[in-house]
Amino acid sequence: MKNYICLLGLFFFTKCANVVAPTGGPKDLEPPKVLIANPSSPAISFNQKKIELEFNEFIQIKNIENIQISPLCEPGPTILLKGKRLIIVPNCELDSLTTYTINFGNAIEDLNEGNILKNYKYVFSKNKSIDSLFLQTKSTNLYTGDVVDGALVCLAEELDSLRPIYYAYANEEGTCVIENVALKDYFLYSFLDVNSNFTYDAGELVSAPKKVSMMDQAFNIEMFKVKDVSLKRPEQIHRNAIYFEHDALSDTIHILNSSGIWKRALHSSLFWFTEDLPKIIYSYQNSLDSIVLTRRDSLGAFELRSPLLINEIYDGSKIILETNSPIDSMLIGGFELKGVEQKSSPKIINPFRIELDIDTANINNLISLTVNKSSVSSSSGIGNDSTTFYVDFDRENYGVLHLKMLSKKQNVIIELFNDAGVVRKLNAEESLAIRWLKPGNYKFRAFIDRNQNKKWDSGTVYPPKKSEEIKVYPNIINIKANWDLEFEIDLTNEF
């Protein structure tokens, strides 16, 4: 019997002794240091063929292709590593009036421990003076409120290509300074270069480009993930089912050469069919594609699960069970409910869902629902294993959060979240009582739902478009069992 509940080695061995060298003291935690830069930085009237940096220890270079001269000057530099010396040979034709910066980002590490020399820069110019304008930024994840460590902050001259002219990397506090900038108009943007290819790729955190004309000031960069409306490559999970992975879809997936049954969810869709076909042809967003069918194996276990949270069960006064394949039949007598009054017999709502109405009005105890072996059968003739679901309605095990809205604004959505994700999503009202919260730490955010789709919509890069207005409150809300907590939210000066 499987049991589910909704609730929050030591080895000894001997061996022959090995003779090893002494450890040599505590582990080295210090990054490499530049002892000598030739010419020294910042270098004016630069006329050398190469730049040499000598370090206090042996180093290694990671992602050498990302060590570029900015403003970008092509072809890129030649980078040579010789023990403790790093040699940079500019290969491009240097402008006589431009100040250049070589930003090493996180490329320089010591050889043995991998300690990183972060954001080391070398500045030089053929001119007798150095450009002195700067721009300071702080990069923040709009949706979580966290600072973005390692964001690549760029200044570009053209919006179409967003090719970085100047750039710097944000530190652990999300801040960075782009220095030695020439006075021009730029587009400021940032992205988290996860694959270190110096180019924004779909799925990476990014900001909408912003035109800047004035330097020597600070900017807040609001980063987000662009909503992905594309369809991932489908997968045949067994003989009669195709699995589609996706984010929120902007259109419906249509199967063109087979009839079947859909199980649709926010981030996935499952299509069941019975025909023996060589491939499935489907359309999405006016484009056609297909998947060749190669698997001949049948479904393994026929599984039941309960998808609802405790507050959804309480508010809806029903238990919902979902299956991983279409339901063919059900034995009502095979369901055993304990600890709560049953208001109706189990019923099949759709080919993948069973509902059971219960009375939650005065409930304050642990309840259980057992579905005995083979009480539910799939369309392929497989019965379920005996499975028991538990839901703990003992109120002393949960906390209650009372929200008081000090002001009101139209179409504001409140989200309570923790490290695992969104816990509750509510319309902003004058007062709210959020019950059935497990003990732990939570935070709030509020956003204006402009298109009233109950979701926060991020911005875009092409064309530049801001995200829906959002505010993440920094307060940590500690929920304790059997405690009531009050929290006030003032939207007067927000958005």
Side-chain angles (χ1 to χ4, degrees):
M1 175 184 291
K2 298 179 182 177
N3 293 300
Y4 302 91
I5 185 165
C6 299
L7 292 171
L8 276 180
L10 183 63
F11 297 91
F12 294 92
F13 63 91
T14 61
K15 63 182 292 185
C16 295
N18 293 324
V19 179
V20 296
T23 60
K27 183 178 179 180
D28 177 19
L29 300 176
E30 294 296 322
K33 296 178 181 178
V34 177
L35 298 179
I36 301 173
N38 185 22
S40 61
S41 176
I44 59 174
S45 302
F46 181 85
N47 60 1
Q48 305 295 312
K49 298 294 184 183
K50 62 182 179 181
I51 299 163
E52 291 193 24
L53 304 176
E54 184 174 337
F55 293 83
N56 65 331
E57 58 182 316
F58 291 100
I59 63 168
Q60 57 185 336
I61 302 297
K62 296 291 183 69
N63 299 317
I64 194 170
E65 65 278 3
N66 284 349
I67 300 177
Q68 300 287 339
I69 298 175
S70 66
L72 283 181
C73 188
E74 294 181 329
T78 299
I79 311 292
L80 302 174
L81 178 60
K82 294 185 177 181
K84 297 181 181 180
R85 288 189 304 136
L86 188 63
I87 300 171
I88 304 101
V89 180
N91 294 319
C92 59
E93 183 176 350
L94 300 175
D95 182 81
S96 61
L97 300 178
T98 300
T99 297
Y100 293 96
T101 300
I102 305 175
N103 191 322
F104 293 88
N106 296 330
I108 300 174
E109 300 180 354
D110 66 24
L111 184 60
N112 295 319
E113 303 295 343
N115 298 313
I116 299 172
L117 175 61
K118 295 185 177 181
N119 288 330
Y120 177 74
K121 294 181 288 188
Y122 182 91
V123 180
F124 63 104
S125 175
K126 295 179 72 174
N127 200 356
K128 294 181 180 181
S129 62
I130 296 292
D131 289 333
S132 59
L133 296 179
F134 71 92
L135 182 146
Q136 185 174 351
T137 67
K138 182 172 183 178
S139 300
T140 306
N141 185 324
L142 260 180
Y143 193 56
T144 65
D146 299 326
V147 298
V148 183
D149 180 9
L152 182 58
V153 183
C154 308
L155 289 174
E157 290 183 334
E158 298 179 2
L159 182 60
D160 291 341
S161 63
L162 286 181
R163 188 183 187 192
I165 303 298
Y166 297 95
Y167 67 94
Y169 291 90
N171 59 22
E172 293 89 344
E173 296 176 348
T175 63
C176 77
V177 180
I178 301 178
E179 298 177 297
N180 311 113
V181 178
L183 182 58
K184 291 182 181 180
D185 289 343
Y186 299 98
F187 290 96
L188 172 65
Y189 70 104
S190 177
F191 64 97
L192 191 60
D193 193 14
V194 176
N195 56 2
S196 299
N197 66 351
F198 219 62
T199 303
Y200 164 68
D201 296 301
E204 294 176 335
L205 279 173
V206 69
S207 69
K210 176 181 181 179
K211 189 172 183 179
V212 293
S213 301
M214 301 295 292
M215 294 292 130
D216 294 356
Q217 56 183 314
F219 293 88
N220 289 319
I221 297 182
E222 300 174 336
M223 302 183 69
F224 51 84
K225 282 191 176 181
V226 177
K227 184 169 66 174
D228 184 7
V229 297
S230 65
L231 191 65
K232 308 296 187 297
R233 185 66 186 169
E235 176 187 1
Q236 183 186 11
I237 58 175
H238 53 77
R239 183 177 61 190
N240 300 110
I242 302 296
Y243 176 81
F244 294 87
E245 182 183 353
H246 50 71
D247 204 336
L249 294 178
S250 62
D251 197 0
T252 303
I253 306 169
H254 297 281
I255 303 299
L256 304 181
N257 64 329
S258 176
S259 58
I261 302 172
W262 280 101
K263 182 181 182 182
R264 300 185 189 271
L266 180 61
H267 297 292
S268 65
S269 299
L270 195 62
F271 178 72
W272 280 82
F273 58 97
T274 56
E275 295 100 325
D276 187 10
L277 300 169
K279 62 182 178 181
I280 287 289
I281 303 171
Y282 62 93
S283 67
Y284 176 69
Q285 290 185 330
N286 298 318
S287 64
L288 291 177
D289 208 339
S290 64
I291 176 173
V292 176
L293 304 179
T294 58
R295 297 188 60 164
R296 314 310 299 170
D297 55 317
S298 300
L299 175 70
F302 179 51
E303 299 175 350
L304 303 173
R305 74 178 190 94
S306 178
L308 297 185
L309 300 174
I310 183 172
N311 60 292
E312 294 173 323
I313 297 174
Y314 179 83
D315 293 340
S317 297
K318 65 181 59 180
I319 297 174
I320 292 178
L321 302 180
E322 287 188 348
T323 63
N324 62 338
S325 67
I327 301 168
D328 177 69
S329 61
M330 177 181 68
L331 298 175
I332 294 177
F335 289 71
E336 298 179 11
L337 183 65
K338 296 181 180 179
V340 65
E341 181 184 347
Q342 180 174 321
K343 296 173 65 176
S344 67
S345 299
K347 48 186 176 291
I348 300 173
I349 302 302
N350 64 45
F352 295 94
R353 175 171 288 202
I354 296 170
E355 287 187 4
L356 176 62
D357 293 328
I358 59 175
D359 184 2
T360 59
N362 299 307
I363 196 167
N364 191 24
N365 55 274
L366 179 72
I367 70 170
S368 67
L369 173 64
T370 298
V371 185
N372 293 316
K373 183 178 177 64
S374 298
S375 295
V376 184
S377 297
S378 71
S379 57
S380 54
I382 302 174
N384 68 289
D385 291 334
S386 182
T387 307
T388 299
F389 300 89
Y390 295 94
V391 185
D392 182 14
F393 281 106
D394 187 343
R395 298 170 191 264
E396 292 188 357
N397 294 329
Y398 302 91
V400 181
L401 179 59
H402 298 274
L403 279 186
K404 184 177 181 181
M405 309 301 298
L406 300 182
S407 60
K408 290 189 67 176
K409 288 194 175 182
Q410 291 293 320
N411 301 322
V412 173
I413 301 292
I414 302 292
E415 286 185 345
L416 180 69
F417 66 98
N418 57 17
D419 292 340
V422 177
V423 177
R424 300 292 166 82
K425 184 178 295 190
L426 307 155
N427 293 318
E429 300 174 0
E430 290 184 3
S431 61
L432 297 167
I434 305 177
R435 305 181 186 278
W436 308 109
L437 291 175
K438 295 178 182 179
N441 291 328
Y442 299 83
K443 292 177 72 175
F444 272 109
R445 57 178 160 246
F447 63 90
I448 297 183
D449 187 20
R450 296 289 182 189
N451 57 3
Q452 301 184 42
N453 65 350
K454 303 298 182 183
K455 296 181 292 185
W456 178 71
D457 290 308
S458 61
T460 58
V461 181
Y462 302 108
K465 178 185 175 183
K466 284 188 174 183
S467 306
E468 287 182 330
E469 298 94 324
I470 187 169
K471 166 70 175 180
V472 180
Y473 293 85
N475 311 69
I476 301 295
I477 301 171
N478 181 245
I479 297 297
K480 298 180 181 180
N482 202 29
W483 276 51
D484 283 41
L485 184 66
E486 293 185 355
F487 189 80
E488 295 180 342
I489 295 182
D490 189 356
L491 299 175
T492 304
N493 298 317
E494 307 297 351
F495 314 122

